[in-house]
Amino acid sequence: MSKIKCTVLECAYNKDVMCNAPMIQVNHNGVRRSRESAQTQCDTFKPKDL
Ligand code: SF4
């Protein structure tokens, strides 16, 4: 898998500011056609058990 840097430290898959998931799924974020990165989102996000 490609190296994915991710600053969402509260995700269970985050390890040292990198994504450690075997794969991720990224979807549109509230729009039918994304035109900027803010209009995409990682659906693989899982909250850490705190
Ligand atoms: S699953 Fe998504 S939110 Fe979680 S570390 Fe990976 S890229 Fe970031």
Side-chain angles (χ1 to χ4, degrees), residues 7 13-14 18 23-24 26 30 34 38 43 45 48:
T7 60
Y13 293 113
N14 199 298
M18 299 293 289
M23 60 86 71
I24 64 168
V26 179
S34 298
D43 274 9
F45 169 80
K48 268 184 186 160

Side-chain angles (χ1 to χ4, degrees), residues 8-19:
V8 184
L9 302 180
E10 61 272 37
C11 178
Y13 293 113
N14 199 298
K15 186 170 167 56
D16 301 329
V17 199
M18 299 293 289
C19 181

Side-chain angles (χ1 to χ4, degrees):
M1 177 168 159
S2 303
K3 289 183 179 174
I4 298 173
K5 186 174 180 182
C6 178
T7 60
V8 184
L9 302 180
E10 61 272 37
C11 178
Y13 293 113
N14 199 298
K15 186 170 167 56
D16 301 329
V17 199
M18 299 293 289
C19 181
N20 202 35
M23 60 86 71
I24 64 168
Q25 179 166 344
V26 179
N27 288 338
H28 298 99
N29 184 15
V31 295
R32 286 188 62 184
R33 187 178 173 90
S34 298
R35 297 185 182 278
E36 57 188 43
S37 59
Q39 294 175 334
T40 67
Q41 65 179 5
C42 176
D43 274 9
T44 306
F45 169 80
K46 185 171 84 171
K48 268 184 186 160
D49 293 333
L50 298 177

